[in-house]
Amino acid sequence: MLLQDKVAVITGSSRGIGLGIARELALEGARVVISGRNAERAEAASREVEQAGGTAIAVPADVSIAEQAKALIYAAKEKWERVDILVNNAGITRDNLMLRMYEEDWDAVLTTNLKGAFNCIKAVSRMMMKQRWGRIINITSVVGIMGNAG
């Protein structure tokens, strides 16, 4: 198994692409931390990964809040003593035309999609440097390259 004994934290992994990433990493031997803002969905996703033969725990977190991002990384370290892989996958959309967009929606997208990644990277960086090994993967949308109305 390619990732035997590695520990992976995947943000936004209680469903969708993040859950798919968590499943694949677990199938390659990684112990995965499922995270999302909804605790029930995170628990269900964790059970799904385990039923498929992987090892997982659920740690609900809103990564846009620095303390919750730190707690997410700390939970992985407490359970498995390390974090080898961080996948920043958490993201939201509030697409709208500029004239119709609310400032709160703009702030929510930037806080989750950008600050969330920053918070998690900051929380895990020292640990990865001490380990002298780690991988950080940042997921984004193709809309960041091509653009889209709204």
Side-chain angles (χ1 to χ4, degrees), residues 73-145:
I73 300 302
Y74 181 76
K77 186 176 183 199
E78 277 289 298
K79 177 74 176 172
W80 290 309
E81 300 178 357
R82 60 187 302 117
V83 174
D84 300 292
I85 302 164
L86 168 64
V87 180
N88 283 310
N89 174 71
I92 62 170
T93 59
R94 298 288 187 270
D95 291 351
N96 207 340
L97 299 176
M98 188 59 73
L99 294 174
R100 294 183 183 157
M101 182 172 283
Y102 295 105
E103 186 176 348
E104 298 81 29
D105 290 339
W106 175 261
D107 290 343
V109 169
L110 291 180
T111 302
T112 299
N113 299 6
L114 296 177
K115 188 175 180 188
F118 168 82
N119 289 339
C120 291
I121 291 168
K122 187 170 182 178
V124 80
S125 290
R126 186 176 312 275
M127 183 187 327
M128 286 183 173
M129 288 190 305
K130 277 185 171 181
Q131 294 169 183
R132 301 183 59 96
W133 200 94
R135 300 295 184 265
I136 298 172
I137 302 160
N138 297 312
I139 306 291
T140 187
S141 170
V142 69
V143 175
I145 297 170

Side-chain angles (χ1 to χ4, degrees), residues 6-25:
K6 299 292 186 202
V7 175
V9 174
I10 306 100
T11 69
S13 56
S14 63
R15 60 188 173 134
I17 293 169
L19 177 54
I21 292 167
R23 263 194 307 255
E24 290 301 314
L25 293 176

Side-chain angles (χ1 to χ4, degrees), residues 30-72:
R31 295 167 283 179
V32 298
V33 179
I34 304 287
S35 186
R37 291 184 294 191
N38 184 299
E40 290 173 9
R41 266 201 306 247
E43 286 291 340
S46 177
R47 285 191 301 274
E48 183 179 324
V49 168
E50 293 211 323
Q51 288 169 354
T55 302
I57 61 169
V59 180
D62 180 344
V63 295
S64 70
I65 301 168
E67 289 305 315
Q68 290 189 33
K70 284 183 206 172
L72 169 61

